[in-house]
Amino acid sequence: MERWRRQLQQSVTRVDELAKRFDVPEETLRRVEQKFKIKITPYYLSLIEKKDDPIYKQVVPDPRELENHGLYLDPLAEDADSPVNNIVHRYPDRCLFLISPVCGSYCRFCTRKRKVGDPQKINRNFIDEGVDYIRTHAEIRDVILSGGDPLMLSDAKLESILQKIRAIPHVQIIRIGTRMPCFLPHRITLKLVRMLKKYHPLYMNVHFNHPRELTPLAVKALKRLADAGIPLGNQTVLLKGVNDDPQVMKTLMQKLLQARVRPYYIYQADMVFGTEHFRTRVEKGLEIIQALRGWTSGLGVPHFVIDAPGGGGKIPLLPEYVQSINDNEIVMRNYAGKIFRYTQPKATLPESTVHGYTEEGDSFLADPEEIVLMDGLGY
Ligand SMILES: *Cc1c(COP(=O)(O)O)cnc(C)c1O
Ligand code: SF4
């Protein structure tokens, strides 16, 4: 049996095991389990140094998951934007295609808590219908494979889906969203990457939330994917007690870049039922972006977005750099807080005018003869 299969088989799914290991009441874990599946790979479990650390919080159930704070089971109204089973088609030219009901481990903050782990709700019998939907919608040029985790499928099953999607002429790019390099880097076998690279242009978005997740094994898995020519992006969820700290986020982004992963999004935690204890104020995300932009490589600065409740899609938020803007100029501050001005172009110049610039920077009108003369002078 492949190593990753064995890891999955040996994953912790039992509440009595967790209760004993971390000294938490078994009864509460059992009640949480009825709401949302528990699974932790032995590898990811081994990254927990102590109870309540940033690794622990992401995967070990918490009794607060049962509390109702007026949050939603389907905060992004994905089910309303689902024309056929397993497809979420919200944007004009791309769609999500949920092809796997299961994950390597279950994130306690998952936005699809209502669905993941339940093969009835993400049903593999509907995959061909999903492919048909993509085939009959010529506007879809970007297909994002998601779930659950697409890399939980066997190489053969995943390949049969990739093949069918690649055979659709209007699909330009395929993306895979996966947390396997984080939860189970063993999944990234040479056999898998040899298969994946047949389906280029293929992009992959991985999901790391804390620098401690970038172990040598995870970095090796990411290297394999990058060596197969797969551009890697990372999506991070901003989580209280896990990564709601500018220094932690900066380290995470820098380590991702070293692992050849380009930070793509930081998500404000969605308003998912049972995750109130993970949510931060929105200002925290802005503070993090402010602490990244200018202070570290621009490559390491992701977009901070709120996926709008009710299905509005991802909305980017930026710290305020603009102090004022009018017809003449913009006044702005740089990353360190210093003020700068940029002058707007003069709106009154007729469009057909050929113009050059004097040394002082003033524009002037030039007639064609003058231009010839300037050429002769070596301008
Ligand atoms: C996030 C998301 C996408 C992809 O968005 P990008 O900004 O292109 O990465 C597409 N469809 C849905 C429903 C999404 O939630
Ligand atoms: S890996 Fe993704 S889909 Fe699976 S539980 Fe975590 S956030 Fe949800």
Side-chain angles (χ1 to χ4, degrees):
M1 189 191 291
E2 287 174 293
R3 244 179 106 199
W4 69 275
R5 292 271 184 206
R6 198 162 53 238
Q7 276 266 334
L8 282 176
Q9 230 173 40
Q10 293 167 356
S11 289
V12 175
T13 53
R14 292 181 38 178
V15 292
D16 53 340
E17 223 179 310
L18 279 177
K20 204 150 66 206
R21 191 176 178 118
F22 296 115
D23 189 29
V24 281
E26 189 178 323
E27 173 51 27
T28 41
L29 291 188
R30 210 167 282 290
R31 280 193 296 136
V32 177
E33 185 189 27
Q34 280 158 11
K35 280 248 166 200
F36 183 53
K37 265 212 143 51
I38 298 167
K39 183 163 69 178
I40 312 170
T41 59
Y43 161 80
Y44 198 73
L45 194 68
S46 76
L47 304 186
I48 298 177
E49 286 168 2
K50 56 180 195 303
K51 190 174 165 175
D52 282 329
D53 78 6
I55 307 291
Y56 176 102
K57 284 192 170 137
Q58 293 186 60
V59 290
V60 180
D62 186 296
R64 287 172 293 181
E65 289 175 46
L66 298 167
E67 292 172 9
N68 182 353
H69 291 272
L71 300 181
Y72 313 104
L73 287 173
D74 179 12
L76 309 180
E78 291 188 325
D79 294 341
D81 272 340
S82 180
V84 298
N85 284 305
N86 300 28
I87 295 271
V88 184
H89 192 180
R90 165 165 303 151
Y91 292 108
D93 68 344
R94 56 205 187 282
C95 70
L96 298 185
F97 188 11
L98 313 184
I99 61 169
S100 162
V102 285
C103 301
S105 305
Y106 290 109
C107 311
R108 307 319 299 173
F109 51 86
C110 179
T111 208
R112 285 194 205 113
K113 267 183 117 152
R114 71 190 184 284
K115 275 197 165 159
V116 296
D118 186 343
Q120 295 305 316
K121 293 187 181 150
I122 300 178
N123 192 325
R124 298 244 314 273
N125 295 329
F126 294 113
I127 285 186
D128 282 339
E129 270 178 50
V131 173
D132 283 342
Y133 179 84
I134 296 166
R135 192 182 294 116
T136 52
H137 287 76
E139 71 276 21
I140 298 175
R141 40 160 293 287
D142 175 3
V143 175
I144 301 151
L145 302 180
S146 182
D149 199 313
L151 294 190
M152 285 292 282
L153 301 186
S154 69
D155 293 357
K157 292 225 175 69
L158 181 59
E159 176 157 25
S160 81
I161 297 170
L162 287 170
Q163 239 163 19
K164 286 175 192 161
I165 296 173
R166 245 310 146 241
I168 303 172
H170 56 260
V171 174
Q172 297 170 357
I173 63 171
I174 301 174
R175 302 193 237 178
I176 294 179
T178 177
R179 211 177 175 190
M180 290 300 250
C182 177
F183 282 147
L184 190 50
H186 320 59
R187 175 66 186 96
I188 313 303
T189 60
L190 286 170
K191 186 167 151 277
L192 174 73
V193 298
R194 271 199 297 268
M195 183 278 280
L196 291 176
K197 70 195 239 191
K198 291 193 270 175
Y199 299 93
H200 276 311
L202 179 83
Y203 289 71
M204 195 175 274
N205 272 328
V206 297
H207 175 176
F208 287 86
N209 289 334
H210 193 276
R212 265 173 47 203
E213 295 170 339
L214 285 156
T215 63
L217 207 61
V219 170
K220 191 175 151 203
L222 295 167
K223 175 182 191 305
R224 266 191 192 167
L225 292 163
D227 284 348
I230 302 171
L232 299 172
N234 185 70
Q235 323 205 68
T236 294
V237 183
L238 177 55
L239 299 165
K240 195 197 274 178
V242 173
N243 57 17
D244 57 338
D245 177 286
Q247 198 50 52
V248 169
M249 281 290 201
K250 196 201 279 183
T251 307
L252 173 63
M253 301 310 153
Q254 290 171 345
K255 287 184 89 168
L256 284 165
L257 289 179
Q258 281 179 274
R260 299 158 72 186
V261 182
R262 173 91 212 258
Y264 182 47
Y265 283 137
I266 292 178
Y267 291 99
Q268 174 70 16
D270 289 332
M271 296 173 67
V272 191
F273 185 97
T275 65
E276 180 71 8
H277 56 293
F278 278 120
R279 298 201 305 137
T280 60
R281 287 186 56 94
V282 175
E283 290 89 331
K284 182 55 77 178
L286 295 172
E287 181 194 335
I288 286 165
I289 296 301
Q290 152 73 31
L292 293 173
R293 173 60 65 194
W295 298 99
T296 192
S297 315
L299 279 173
V301 187
H303 301 284
F304 172 50
V305 296
I306 300 186
D307 216 336
K314 298 171 184 74
I315 300 175
L317 301 179
L318 267 185
E320 199 50 81
Y321 292 103
V322 176
Q323 309 273 302
S324 70
I325 183 163
N326 60 32
D327 285 347
N328 299 320
E329 65 169 8
I330 177 171
V331 182
M332 58 209 162
R333 69 169 181 85
N334 76 351
Y335 70 98
K338 278 191 168 168
I339 303 298
F340 296 85
R341 290 159 196 278
Y342 174 91
T343 311
Q344 303 267 34
K346 296 204 167 65
T348 48
L349 285 180
E351 251 181 60
S352 60
T353 311
V354 180
H355 54 277
Y357 296 90
T358 66
E359 269 171 22
E360 288 78 42
D362 292 322
S363 64
F364 64 96
L365 302 183
D367 62 44
E369 262 173 57
E370 220 176 327
I371 291 175
V372 172
L373 188 65
M374 284 161 75
D375 276 351
L377 290 171
Y379 281 93

